[in-house]
Amino acid sequence: MPTYLIRIKEGDLELEIQGDRDFVERKFKEFLKTFFKKFPEEKYIEKEKYEEGDLEKTKDYFKNFKIKSNTEKMLLAARFHYENFGRKSFTLSDIKSIYKIMKWKISKNPSTFLQKFREKNFIYSLPKKRNGKPLYVLTEKGLEFTESLRRK
């Protein structure tokens, strides 16, 4: 029987859960419920429109990466959101907004990518929602993957 492992490290916080799949998923959900009750909800300010210079800043950011596929674009859009807006969590709408800015075509069913990312442990879903939409967070593995795309 395969052993599953979740390892998260953020600043001084470190969490590791290992065991069979049901045990790991159950304990992780318990941790998330407990952890996010202790913190106030993230302040979220929707930008009505990008300010002058934002488009160039966004384009310059993506020039730093070798992007070959839509999968890589989606993960990098999540990372961009994390690094440039100071929010660890993102929604599919946040990703779509980056696609719109960059004038990239998004797949017909982008939520399928999010499901694949969860299976690969690049992201995990939070128990909270923002405006009724599921929230996701890039994992350490997701950040490492996107870092591997950086031009040297």
Side-chain angles (χ1 to χ4, degrees):
M1 178 156 44
T3 300
Y4 290 83
L5 171 71
I6 292 178
R7 182 178 298 135
I8 300 170
K9 185 174 182 183
E10 180 68 36
D12 293 337
L13 172 68
E14 191 168 338
L15 169 72
E16 184 173 307
I17 306 170
Q18 185 172 355
D20 67 66
R21 184 179 181 149
D22 291 336
F23 173 79
V24 171
E25 286 179 352
R26 187 177 71 250
K27 289 298 180 185
F28 185 64
K29 286 178 183 174
E30 288 173 13
F31 164 77
L32 288 176
K33 285 179 184 175
T34 304
F35 182 76
F36 285 100
K37 281 182 184 175
K38 294 180 180 180
F39 294 93
E41 194 157 326
E42 222 175 80
K43 297 280 186 234
Y44 184 75
I45 301 168
E46 191 78 48
K47 272 192 161 181
E48 295 279 327
K49 62 180 185 175
Y50 267 64
E51 297 161 13
E52 194 174 324
D54 283 350
L55 180 59
E56 283 306 312
K57 178 182 173 185
T58 305
K59 286 183 178 180
D60 287 344
Y61 179 85
F62 286 101
K63 285 179 186 175
N64 294 317
F65 297 92
K66 296 176 272 183
I67 305 170
K68 298 176 189 161
S69 69
N70 202 30
T71 301
E72 294 171 351
K73 284 180 185 176
M74 286 192 81
L75 280 171
L76 283 169
R79 182 182 177 130
F80 175 81
H81 223 275
Y82 171 72
E83 291 181 356
N84 291 282
F85 296 118
R87 289 192 304 260
K88 294 182 182 182
S89 62
F90 63 93
T91 64
L92 182 55
S93 295
D94 295 331
I95 301 296
K96 287 179 178 179
S97 69
I98 302 299
Y99 268 70
K100 188 175 180 180
I101 293 162
M102 294 299 293
K103 296 185 173 129
W104 291 334
K105 288 192 175 197
I106 196 160
S107 69
K108 291 186 180 191
N109 193 0
S111 59
T112 312
F113 283 90
L114 295 177
Q115 183 178 352
K116 288 178 184 176
F117 296 157
R118 285 178 44 211
E119 290 169 3
K120 291 182 178 184
N121 293 322
F122 288 153
I123 65 172
Y124 64 88
S125 56
L126 298 175
K128 288 188 173 187
K129 292 186 177 195
R130 181 187 313 137
N131 298 331
K133 297 176 184 174
L135 282 170
Y136 303 94
V137 176
L138 273 173
T139 63
E140 194 66 35
K141 187 175 178 182
L143 288 170
E144 287 171 7
F145 176 79
T146 56
E147 189 60 34
S148 73
L149 301 174
R150 193 176 290 279
R151 294 184 189 276
K152 302 201 172 48

